[in-house]
Coordinates of all heavy atoms in Angstrom, one line a residue:
M1 N 7.3 -17.1 -7.1 CA 7.1 -15.9 -6.3 C 7.6 -14.7 -7.1 O 7.7 -13.6 -6.5 CB 7.9 -16.0 -5.0 CG 7.4 -17.1 -4.1 SD 5.9 -16.7 -3.2 CE 6.7 -15.7 -1.8
Q2 N 8.0 -14.9 -8.3 CA 8.6 -13.7 -9.0 C 7.7 -12.6 -9.3 O 8.2 -11.5 -9.6 CB 9.3 -14.2 -10.4 CG 8.2 -14.8 -11.3 CD 8.8 -15.2 -12.6 OE1 9.7 -14.5 -13.1 NE2 8.3 -16.3 -13.2
H3 N 6.4 -12.8 -9.2 CA 5.4 -11.7 -9.5 C 5.1 -10.9 -8.2 O 4.3 -10.0 -8.2 CB 4.2 -12.2 -10.1 CG 4.4 -12.8 -11.5 ND1 4.3 -14.1 -11.8 CD2 4.8 -12.2 -12.6 CE1 4.6 -14.3 -13.1 NE2 4.9 -13.2 -13.6
I4 N 5.6 -11.4 -7.0 CA 5.2 -10.8 -5.8 C 6.2 -9.6 -5.5 O 7.4 -9.8 -5.4 CB 5.2 -11.8 -4.6 CG1 4.1 -12.8 -5.0 CG2 4.9 -11.1 -3.3 CD1 3.9 -13.9 -3.9
K5 N 5.7 -8.5 -5.3 CA 6.5 -7.3 -5.1 C 6.0 -6.6 -3.8 O 4.9 -6.7 -3.5 CB 6.4 -6.3 -6.3 CG 6.8 -6.9 -7.6 CD 8.3 -6.5 -7.9 CE 8.9 -7.3 -9.0 NZ 8.3 -7.5 -10.2
N6 N 6.9 -5.8 -3.2 CA 6.5 -5.0 -2.1 C 6.2 -3.5 -2.6 O 7.1 -2.8 -3.0 CB 7.7 -4.9 -1.1 CG 7.4 -4.0 0.1 OD1 6.3 -3.6 0.2 ND2 8.4 -3.9 0.9
C7 N 5.0 -3.2 -2.6 CA 4.5 -1.9 -3.1 C 5.1 -0.8 -2.3 O 5.2 0.3 -2.9 CB 3.0 -1.9 -3.0 SG 2.3 -0.7 -4.1
T8 N 5.4 -0.9 -1.1 CA 5.9 0.1 -0.3 C 7.2 0.7 -0.9 O 7.5 1.9 -0.9 CB 6.2 -0.3 1.2 OG1 5.1 -1.0 1.7 CG2 6.6 0.8 2.1
E9 N 8.0 -0.2 -1.5 CA 9.2 0.3 -2.2 C 8.9 1.2 -3.3 O 9.7 2.2 -3.5 CB 10.0 -0.9 -2.8 CG 10.6 -1.8 -1.7 CD 11.4 -3.0 -2.3 OE1 11.8 -2.9 -3.5 OE2 11.5 -4.0 -1.6
Y10 N 7.9 1.0 -4.1 CA 7.5 1.9 -5.2 C 7.1 3.2 -4.6 O 7.4 4.3 -5.2 CB 6.4 1.3 -6.0 CG 6.9 0.1 -6.9 CD1 6.8 -1.2 -6.4 CD2 7.3 0.4 -8.2 CE1 7.3 -2.2 -7.2 CE2 7.7 -0.7 -9.0 CZ 7.7 -2.0 -8.5 OH 8.1 -3.0 -9.2
V11 N 6.3 3.2 -3.5 CA 5.8 4.4 -2.9 C 7.0 5.3 -2.5 O 7.1 6.5 -2.8 CB 4.9 4.1 -1.7 CG1 4.6 5.4 -0.9 CG2 3.7 3.4 -2.1
I12 N 8.0 4.7 -1.8 CA 9.1 5.5 -1.3 C 10.0 6.0 -2.5 O 10.4 7.1 -2.5 CB 10.0 4.6 -0.4 CG1 9.2 4.2 0.9 CG2 11.3 5.3 0.0 CD1 8.4 5.4 1.5
E13 N 10.2 5.1 -3.5 CA 10.9 5.5 -4.7 C 10.3 6.7 -5.4 O 10.9 7.7 -5.7 CB 11.0 4.3 -5.6 CG 12.2 4.4 -6.6 CD 12.2 3.1 -7.4 OE1 11.7 2.1 -7.0 OE2 12.9 3.2 -8.5
Q14 N 9.0 6.7 -5.5 CA 8.2 7.7 -6.1 C 8.3 9.1 -5.4 O 8.2 10.1 -5.9 CB 6.7 7.4 -6.3 CG 6.5 6.4 -7.4 CD 5.1 6.5 -7.9 OE1 4.2 6.9 -7.2 NE2 4.9 6.2 -9.2
R15 N 8.3 9.0 -4.1 CA 8.3 10.2 -3.2 C 9.7 10.7 -3.0 O 9.8 11.8 -2.4 CB 7.6 9.9 -1.9 CG 6.2 9.4 -2.0 CD 5.3 10.3 -2.6 NE 5.1 11.5 -1.9 CZ 4.2 11.7 -0.9 NH1 3.5 10.6 -0.5 NH2 4.1 12.8 -0.2
M16 N 10.8 10.0 -3.3 CA 12.1 10.3 -2.9 C 12.5 11.7 -3.3 O 13.0 12.5 -2.5 CB 13.1 9.3 -3.5 CG 14.6 9.5 -3.1 SD 14.9 9.6 -1.3 CE 14.8 7.9 -0.8
D17 N 12.3 12.1 -4.6 CA 12.8 13.4 -5.1 C 12.1 14.6 -4.3 O 12.7 15.5 -3.9 CB 12.5 13.6 -6.6 CG 13.5 12.8 -7.4 OD1 14.5 12.4 -6.9 OD2 13.2 12.5 -8.6
E18 N 10.8 14.4 -4.2 CA 10.0 15.4 -3.4 C 10.5 15.5 -2.0 O 10.6 16.7 -1.4 CB 8.5 15.0 -3.5 CG 7.6 15.8 -2.6 CD 6.3 15.0 -2.3 OE1 6.0 14.0 -3.0 OE2 5.6 15.4 -1.4
M19 N 10.7 14.4 -1.3 CA 11.1 14.4 0.1 C 12.6 14.9 0.2 O 12.9 15.6 1.2 CB 11.1 13.0 0.7 CG 9.7 12.5 0.8 SD 8.7 13.4 2.0 CE 7.0 13.1 1.3
Q20 N 13.4 14.6 -0.8 CA 14.8 15.2 -0.7 C 14.8 16.7 -0.7 O 15.5 17.3 0.0 CB 15.6 14.6 -1.9 CG 17.1 14.9 -1.8 CD 17.4 16.2 -2.4 OE1 16.8 16.6 -3.4 NE2 18.4 16.9 -1.8
K21 N 13.9 17.3 -1.6 CA 13.8 18.7 -1.6 C 13.2 19.3 -0.3 O 13.6 20.3 0.2 CB 13.0 19.2 -2.8 CG 13.7 18.9 -4.1 CD 12.9 19.5 -5.3 CE 13.6 19.2 -6.6 NZ 13.5 17.8 -7.0
R22 N 12.2 18.6 0.1 CA 11.4 19.1 1.3 C 12.3 19.1 2.6 O 12.3 20.0 3.3 CB 10.2 18.2 1.5 CG 9.4 18.6 2.7 CD 8.0 17.8 2.6 NE 7.2 18.3 3.7 CZ 5.9 18.2 3.7 NH1 5.2 17.8 2.6 NH2 5.2 18.6 4.7
F23 N 13.0 18.0 2.8 CA 13.8 17.8 4.0 C 15.3 18.1 3.8 O 16.1 18.1 4.8 CB 13.6 16.5 4.6 CG 12.2 16.2 5.1 CD1 11.4 15.3 4.5 CD2 11.7 17.0 6.1 CE1 10.1 15.1 4.9 CE2 10.4 16.8 6.6 CZ 9.6 15.8 5.9
N24 N 15.7 18.4 2.6 CA 17.0 18.9 2.2 C 18.2 18.0 2.7 O 19.1 18.5 3.3 CB 17.1 20.3 2.8 CG 18.3 21.1 2.2 OD1 18.6 20.9 1.0 ND2 18.9 21.9 3.0
F25 N 18.0 16.7 2.6 CA 19.1 15.9 2.9 C 20.0 15.7 1.6 O 19.6 16.1 0.5 CB 18.7 14.5 3.4 CG 17.7 13.8 2.6 CD1 18.0 12.9 1.5 CD2 16.3 13.8 3.0 CE1 17.1 12.2 0.8 CE2 15.3 13.1 2.2 CZ 15.7 12.4 1.2
C26 N 21.2 15.2 1.8 CA 22.1 15.1 0.6 C 21.5 14.2 -0.5 O 20.8 13.2 -0.2 CB 23.4 14.4 1.1 SG 24.6 14.0 -0.2
N27 N 21.7 14.7 -1.7 CA 21.1 14.0 -2.8 C 22.0 12.9 -3.5 O 21.6 12.5 -4.6 CB 20.7 15.1 -3.9 CG 19.7 14.6 -4.9 OD1 18.8 13.8 -4.5 ND2 19.7 15.1 -6.1
C28 N 23.1 12.5 -2.8 CA 23.9 11.5 -3.5 C 23.2 10.1 -3.3 O 22.3 10.0 -2.4 CB 25.3 11.5 -2.9 SG 25.5 10.6 -1.4
E29 N 23.6 9.2 -4.1 CA 23.0 7.9 -4.1 C 23.1 7.2 -2.7 O 22.1 6.5 -2.3 CB 23.7 7.0 -5.2 CG 22.9 5.8 -5.6 CD 21.6 6.1 -6.3 OE1 21.5 7.2 -6.8 OE2 20.7 5.2 -6.2
I30 N 24.2 7.3 -2.1 CA 24.4 6.6 -0.8 C 23.4 7.2 0.3 O 22.7 6.4 0.9 CB 25.8 6.8 -0.3 CG1 26.8 6.1 -1.2 CG2 26.0 6.3 1.2 CD1 28.3 6.4 -0.9
C31 N 23.3 8.5 0.3 CA 22.4 9.1 1.3 C 20.9 8.8 1.0 O 20.1 8.5 1.8 CB 22.6 10.6 1.4 SG 24.2 11.0 2.1
R32 N 20.6 8.9 -0.3 CA 19.2 8.6 -0.7 C 18.9 7.2 -0.4 O 17.7 6.9 0.1 CB 19.1 8.8 -2.3 CG 19.0 10.3 -2.7 CD 19.2 10.4 -4.2 NE 18.1 9.8 -4.9 CZ 17.0 10.5 -5.4 NH1 17.0 11.8 -5.2 NH2 16.1 10.0 -6.1
E33 N 19.8 6.2 -0.6 CA 19.5 4.8 -0.2 C 19.5 4.6 1.3 O 18.7 3.8 1.8 CB 20.5 3.9 -0.9 CG 20.3 3.9 -2.4 CD 21.2 2.9 -3.2 OE1 22.1 2.3 -2.6 OE2 21.0 2.8 -4.4
D34 N 20.3 5.3 2.0 CA 20.3 5.2 3.5 C 18.9 5.7 4.0 O 18.3 5.1 4.9 CB 21.4 6.0 4.1 CG 22.7 5.3 4.2 OD1 22.7 4.0 3.9 OD2 23.7 5.9 4.5
V35 N 18.4 6.8 3.4 CA 17.1 7.3 3.8 C 16.0 6.3 3.5 O 15.2 6.0 4.3 CB 16.8 8.7 3.1 CG1 15.4 9.1 3.2 CG2 17.7 9.8 3.7
A36 N 16.1 5.8 2.2 CA 15.1 4.8 1.8 C 15.1 3.6 2.7 O 14.0 3.1 3.1 CB 15.4 4.3 0.4
C37 N 16.3 3.1 3.2 CA 16.4 1.9 4.1 C 15.7 2.3 5.4 O 15.0 1.5 5.9 CB 17.8 1.5 4.3 SG 18.6 0.7 2.9
Y38 N 16.0 3.5 5.9 CA 15.5 3.9 7.2 C 13.9 3.8 7.1 O 13.3 3.3 8.0 CB 16.0 5.3 7.6 CG 15.5 5.7 8.9 CD1 16.2 5.6 10.1 CD2 14.2 6.4 9.0 CE1 15.8 6.0 11.3 CE2 13.8 6.8 10.3 CZ 14.5 6.6 11.4 OH 14.1 7.1 12.6
V39 N 13.4 4.5 6.1 CA 11.9 4.5 6.0 C 11.3 3.2 5.7 O 10.3 2.8 6.4 CB 11.6 5.5 4.8 CG1 10.1 5.6 4.6 CG2 12.1 6.9 5.1
L40 N 11.9 2.4 4.8 CA 11.4 1.1 4.5 C 11.4 0.1 5.6 O 10.5 -0.7 5.8 CB 12.1 0.5 3.3 CG 11.7 1.2 1.9 CD1 12.7 0.7 0.9 CD2 10.3 0.8 1.5
N41 N 12.4 0.2 6.5 CA 12.5 -0.7 7.6 C 11.4 -0.4 8.7 O 11.2 -1.2 9.6 CB 13.9 -0.6 8.3 CG 14.9 -1.4 7.5 OD1 14.6 -2.4 6.9 ND2 16.2 -1.0 7.7
R42 N 10.8 0.8 8.6 CA 9.8 1.2 9.6 C 8.4 1.2 9.1 O 7.5 1.5 9.9 CB 10.3 2.5 10.2 CG 11.5 2.4 11.1 CD 12.2 3.7 11.4 NE 13.4 3.4 12.2 CZ 14.5 2.9 11.8 NH1 14.7 2.6 10.6 NH2 15.5 2.7 12.7
L43 N 8.2 1.0 7.8 CA 6.9 0.9 7.3 C 6.5 -0.5 7.0 O 7.4 -1.3 6.6 CB 6.8 1.7 5.9 CG 6.7 3.2 5.9 CD1 6.8 3.7 4.5 CD2 5.4 3.6 6.6
P44 N 5.3 -0.9 7.3 CA 4.9 -2.3 7.0 C 4.9 -2.5 5.5 O 4.5 -1.7 4.8 CB 3.5 -2.4 7.6 CG 3.0 -1.1 7.8 CD 4.2 -0.2 8.0
P45 N 5.4 -3.7 5.1 CA 5.4 -4.0 3.6 C 4.0 -4.2 3.1 O 3.1 -4.7 3.9 CB 6.3 -5.2 3.5 CG 6.2 -5.9 4.8 CD 6.0 -4.8 5.8
K46 N 3.7 -3.9 1.9 CA 2.5 -4.3 1.3 C 2.7 -5.1 0.0 O 3.1 -4.5 -1.0 CB 1.7 -3.0 0.9 CG 1.3 -2.1 2.0 CD 0.1 -2.7 2.7 CE -0.4 -1.8 3.9 NZ -1.4 -2.4 4.7
Y47 N 2.6 -6.4 0.1 CA 2.9 -7.2 -1.0 C 1.7 -7.4 -2.0 O 0.5 -7.3 -1.5 CB 3.3 -8.6 -0.5 CG 4.6 -8.6 0.2 CD1 4.7 -8.7 1.6 CD2 5.8 -8.4 -0.5 CE1 5.9 -8.6 2.2 CE2 7.0 -8.3 0.2 CZ 7.0 -8.4 1.5 OH 8.2 -8.3 2.2
Y48 N 2.0 -7.4 -3.2 CA 0.9 -7.6 -4.2 C 1.5 -8.4 -5.4 O 2.7 -8.5 -5.6 CB 0.4 -6.2 -4.7 CG 1.4 -5.5 -5.6 CD1 1.2 -5.5 -7.0 CD2 2.5 -5.0 -5.1 CE1 2.1 -4.8 -7.8 CE2 3.5 -4.4 -5.9 CZ 3.3 -4.3 -7.2 OH 4.2 -3.7 -8.0
R49 N 0.6 -8.9 -6.2 CA 1.0 -9.6 -7.4 C 1.1 -8.6 -8.6 O 0.2 -7.8 -8.8 CB 0.1 -10.7 -7.8 CG 0.2 -11.9 -6.9 CD -0.7 -13.1 -7.2 NE -0.5 -13.6 -8.5 CZ -1.3 -13.6 -9.5 NH1 -2.6 -13.1 -9.3 NH2 -1.0 -14.0 -10.7
S50 N 2.2 -8.6 -9.3 CA 2.5 -7.5 -10.2 C 2.0 -7.7 -11.6 O 2.2 -6.9 -12.4 CB 4.1 -7.3 -10.3 OG 4.6 -8.5 -10.8
D51 N 1.3 -8.8 -11.8 CA 0.9 -9.1 -13.2 C -0.5 -8.6 -13.5 O -1.0 -9.0 -14.6 CB 1.0 -10.6 -13.4 CG 0.1 -11.4 -12.5 OD1 -0.5 -10.8 -11.6 OD2 -0.1 -12.6 -12.8
N52 N -1.1 -7.8 -12.7 CA -2.5 -7.4 -13.0 C -2.6 -5.9 -13.5 O -3.7 -5.4 -13.7 CB -3.4 -7.6 -11.8 CG -3.0 -6.8 -10.6 OD1 -2.1 -6.0 -10.7 ND2 -3.6 -7.0 -9.5
G53 N -1.5 -5.2 -13.6 CA -1.5 -3.9 -14.2 C -2.1 -2.8 -13.3 O -2.5 -1.8 -13.8
K54 N -2.3 -3.1 -12.0 CA -3.0 -2.2 -11.2 C -2.0 -1.4 -10.3 O -2.4 -0.8 -9.3 CB -4.0 -2.9 -10.3 CG -5.2 -3.3 -11.1 CD -6.3 -4.0 -10.2 CE -7.5 -4.4 -11.0 NZ -8.4 -5.3 -10.2
I55 N -0.7 -1.5 -10.6 CA 0.3 -0.9 -9.7 C 0.0 0.5 -9.4 O 0.2 0.9 -8.2 CB 1.7 -1.1 -10.3 CG1 2.8 -0.4 -9.5 CG2 1.8 -0.7 -11.8 CD1 3.0 -1.0 -8.1
Y56 N -0.4 1.3 -10.4 CA -0.5 2.8 -10.1 C -1.6 3.0 -9.0 O -1.4 3.8 -8.1 CB -0.9 3.5 -11.4 CG -1.0 5.0 -11.2 CD1 0.2 5.8 -11.1 CD2 -2.2 5.6 -11.2 CE1 0.1 7.1 -10.9 CE2 -2.3 7.0 -11.0 CZ -1.1 7.8 -10.8 OH -1.2 9.1 -10.6
S57 N -2.8 2.4 -9.2 CA -3.8 2.7 -8.2 C -3.4 2.1 -6.8 O -3.8 2.7 -5.8 CB -5.1 2.1 -8.7 OG -5.0 0.7 -8.8
I58 N -2.7 1.0 -6.8 CA -2.2 0.5 -5.5 C -1.3 1.5 -4.9 O -1.4 1.8 -3.7 CB -1.6 -0.9 -5.7 CG1 -2.6 -1.9 -6.2 CG2 -0.9 -1.4 -4.4 CD1 -2.0 -3.2 -6.7
V59 N -0.3 2.0 -5.6 CA 0.7 2.9 -5.1 C -0.1 4.2 -4.6 O 0.2 4.6 -3.5 CB 1.7 3.3 -6.2 CG1 2.5 4.6 -5.8 CG2 2.6 2.2 -6.5
Q60 N -1.0 4.7 -5.3 CA -1.7 5.9 -4.9 C -2.5 5.6 -3.6 O -2.4 6.5 -2.7 CB -2.8 6.3 -6.0 CG -2.1 6.9 -7.2 CD -1.2 8.0 -7.0 OE1 0.0 7.9 -7.0 NE2 -1.8 9.2 -6.7
S61 N -3.2 4.5 -3.4 CA -3.9 4.3 -2.2 C -3.0 4.0 -1.0 O -3.3 4.5 0.1 CB -4.9 3.1 -2.4 OG -4.2 1.9 -2.6
I62 N -1.9 3.3 -1.2 CA -1.0 3.1 -0.1 C -0.3 4.4 0.3 O -0.1 4.7 1.4 CB 0.0 2.0 -0.5 CG1 -0.7 0.6 -0.5 CG2 1.2 1.9 0.5 CD1 0.2 -0.5 -0.9
S63 N 0.1 5.1 -0.7 CA 0.8 6.4 -0.5 C -0.1 7.3 0.4 O 0.4 7.9 1.4 CB 1.1 7.1 -1.8 OG 1.7 8.3 -1.5
H64 N -1.4 7.4 0.1 CA -2.3 8.2 0.9 C -2.4 7.6 2.3 O -2.4 8.4 3.3 CB -3.7 8.1 0.2 CG -4.7 9.0 0.8 ND1 -4.6 10.4 0.8 CD2 -5.8 8.7 1.6 CE1 -5.6 10.9 1.5 NE2 -6.3 9.9 1.9
Q65 N -2.5 6.3 2.4 CA -2.7 5.6 3.7 C -1.5 5.9 4.6 O -1.6 6.0 5.8 CB -2.8 4.1 3.4 CG -3.1 3.3 4.6 CD -3.1 1.8 4.2 OE1 -3.4 1.5 3.0 NE2 -2.6 0.9 5.0
Y66 N -0.3 5.9 4.0 CA 1.0 6.1 4.7 C 1.4 7.5 4.9 O 2.4 7.8 5.5 CB 2.1 5.4 4.0 CG 2.2 3.9 4.1 CD1 3.0 3.1 3.3 CD2 1.4 3.2 5.1 CE1 3.1 1.7 3.4 CE2 1.5 1.8 5.2 CZ 2.3 1.1 4.4 OH 2.5 -0.3 4.5
E67 N 0.6 8.5 4.3 CA 1.1 9.8 4.2 C 1.8 10.4 5.5 O 2.9 10.9 5.4 CB 0.0 10.8 3.8 CG 0.4 12.2 3.4 CD 1.4 12.2 2.3 OE1 1.3 11.4 1.4 OE2 2.2 13.2 2.2
T68 N 1.1 10.3 6.6 CA 1.7 10.9 7.8 C 3.0 10.1 8.2 O 3.9 10.8 8.6 CB 0.6 10.7 9.0 OG1 -0.6 11.2 8.5 CG2 1.1 11.5 10.2
D69 N 2.9 8.8 8.2 CA 4.1 8.0 8.5 C 5.3 8.3 7.6 O 6.4 8.5 8.1 CB 3.8 6.5 8.4 CG 2.9 6.1 9.5 OD1 2.7 6.8 10.5 OD2 2.3 5.0 9.4
I70 N 5.0 8.5 6.3 CA 6.1 8.8 5.4 C 6.8 10.1 5.7 O 8.0 10.2 5.7 CB 5.5 8.8 3.9 CG1 5.2 7.3 3.5 CG2 6.5 9.4 2.9 CD1 4.5 7.3 2.1
L71 N 6.0 11.1 5.9 CA 6.5 12.4 6.3 C 7.4 12.4 7.5 O 8.5 12.9 7.6 CB 5.4 13.5 6.4 CG 4.8 13.9 5.1 CD1 3.6 14.9 5.4 CD2 5.8 14.6 4.2
M72 N 6.9 11.7 8.5 CA 7.6 11.6 9.8 C 8.9 10.8 9.7 O 9.9 11.3 10.2 CB 6.7 10.9 10.8 CG 7.2 10.9 12.3 SD 6.2 9.8 13.3 CE 6.6 8.2 12.7
L73 N 8.8 9.7 8.9 CA 10.0 8.9 8.8 C 11.1 9.6 7.9 O 12.3 9.5 8.2 CB 9.6 7.5 8.2 CG 8.9 6.6 9.2 CD1 8.3 5.4 8.5 CD2 9.8 6.2 10.3
F74 N 10.6 10.2 6.8 CA 11.6 10.9 6.0 C 12.3 12.1 6.8 O 13.5 12.3 6.7 CB 11.0 11.5 4.8 CG 11.0 10.6 3.6 CD1 9.9 9.9 3.1 CD2 12.2 10.5 2.8 CE1 10.0 9.1 2.0 CE2 12.3 9.7 1.7 CZ 11.2 9.0 1.3
S75 N 11.5 12.7 7.7 CA 12.0 13.8 8.5 C 13.1 13.3 9.5 O 14.1 13.8 9.6 CB 10.8 14.4 9.3 OG 11.3 15.2 10.3
Q76 N 12.8 12.1 10.1 CA 13.7 11.5 11.0 C 15.0 11.1 10.3 O 16.1 11.3 10.7 CB 13.1 10.3 11.7 CG 12.0 10.6 12.7 CD 11.3 9.4 13.2 OE1 11.6 8.3 12.8 NE2 10.3 9.6 14.1
A77 N 14.8 10.4 9.2 CA 15.9 9.9 8.4 C 16.8 11.0 7.9 O 18.0 10.9 8.0 CB 15.4 9.1 7.2
A78 N 16.2 12.2 7.5 CA 17.0 13.3 7.1 C 17.9 13.8 8.2 O 19.1 14.1 7.9 CB 16.0 14.4 6.6
E79 N 17.4 13.9 9.4 CA 18.2 14.3 10.5 C 19.4 13.4 10.8 O 20.5 13.9 11.0 CB 17.3 14.4 11.8 CG 16.4 15.6 11.9 CD 17.2 16.9 11.7 OE1 18.2 17.1 12.5 OE2 16.9 17.7 10.9
I80 N 19.1 12.1 10.7 CA 20.2 11.1 11.0 C 21.2 11.2 9.9 O 22.4 11.2 10.2 CB 19.5 9.7 11.1 CG1 18.7 9.6 12.4 CG2 20.6 8.7 11.1 CD1 17.8 8.4 12.4
I81 N 20.8 11.3 8.7 CA 21.7 11.3 7.5 C 22.5 12.6 7.5 O 23.7 12.6 7.3 CB 20.9 11.2 6.2 CG1 20.5 9.7 5.8 CG2 21.8 11.6 5.0 CD1 20.8 8.6 6.7
K82 N 21.9 13.7 7.9 CA 22.7 15.0 8.0 C 23.7 14.9 9.0 O 24.8 15.5 8.9 CB 21.7 16.1 8.2 CG 20.9 16.7 7.0 CD 20.1 17.9 7.4 CE 18.8 17.9 6.7 NZ 17.9 18.9 7.2
N83 N 23.4 14.3 10.2 CA 24.3 14.3 11.3 C 25.4 13.2 11.1 O 26.5 13.3 11.6 CB 23.6 14.0 12.6 CG 22.7 15.2 13.0 OD1 23.0 16.3 12.6 ND2 21.6 14.9 13.7
N84 N 25.1 12.1 10.4 CA 26.0 11.0 10.2 C 26.1 10.6 8.7 O 25.8 9.5 8.4 CB 25.6 9.8 11.0 CG 25.6 10.1 12.5 OD1 26.6 10.3 13.1 ND2 24.4 10.2 13.0
P85 N 26.5 11.5 7.8 CA 26.6 11.1 6.4 C 27.6 10.0 6.2 O 28.7 10.1 6.8 CB 27.0 12.4 5.7 CG 27.6 13.3 6.7 CD 27.0 12.9 8.0
R86 N 27.3 9.1 5.3 CA 28.2 8.0 5.1 C 28.9 8.1 3.7 O 29.5 7.1 3.2 CB 27.5 6.7 5.2 CG 27.0 6.4 6.6 CD 26.8 4.9 6.9 NE 25.6 4.4 6.2 CZ 25.4 3.1 6.0 NH1 26.3 2.2 6.3 NH2 24.3 2.7 5.3
H87 N 28.7 9.2 3.0 CA 29.3 9.4 1.7 C 30.7 9.8 1.8 O 31.2 10.3 2.9 CB 28.5 10.3 0.8 CG 28.3 11.7 1.5 ND1 27.0 12.2 1.7 CD2 29.1 12.5 2.1 CE1 27.1 13.4 2.3 NE2 28.4 13.5 2.6
Ligands
ZN101 ZN1 25.5 12.0 0.4

């Protein structure tokens, strides 16, 4: 099972910098990871086999599909992290 990855993790990782600036939550590692956990726990995982070199197109299509959910979840996570920072 070592080639099976959750593509949603890549999508969130790729969007993290943009979302941090957009929603202005703390940029420290703890807060970024708390935000990532919040979002990832609420998005359905998308598993794929990582050995076919198609990761980029998969990430793009999933990112597009999740766009509204990603924005909403990052927004919610930012509020929670701002109100209850754990750093
Ligand atoms: Zn922080």
Side-chain angles (χ1 to χ4, degrees):
M1 297 280 280
Q2 60 176 324
H3 295 113
I4 299 181
K5 300 265 169 39
N6 178 8
C7 199
T8 310
E9 290 181 22
Y10 288 89
V11 172
I12 297 312
E13 202 175 341
Q14 283 207 332
R15 302 299 294 277
M16 182 55 78
D17 287 343
E18 173 200 344
M19 293 294 156
Q20 189 274 324
K21 290 186 181 74
R22 180 167 183 153
F23 294 113
N24 198 32
F25 52 85
C26 171
N27 199 28
C28 83
E29 196 64 22
I30 295 170
C31 291
R32 285 167 66 98
E33 289 183 356
D34 277 348
V35 167
C37 285
Y38 182 94
V39 175
L40 284 170
N41 280 334
R42 286 160 181 81
L43 281 174
K46 294 284 182 190
Y47 293 105
Y48 72 104
R49 286 180 62 241
S50 65
D51 61 348
N52 62 6
K54 289 182 177 169
I55 175 67
Y56 183 75
S57 59
I58 295 170
V59 166
Q60 289 304 105
S61 67
I62 287 178
S63 180
H64 186 69
Q65 183 186 331
Y66 281 170
E67 187 62 30
T68 312
D69 289 344
I70 287 174
L71 285 176
M72 187 189 70
L73 289 168
F74 267 104
S75 162
Q76 290 172 0
E79 281 305 306
I80 291 167
I81 281 359
K82 278 186 216 170
N83 293 332
N84 300 289
R86 294 204 290 158
H87 52 233

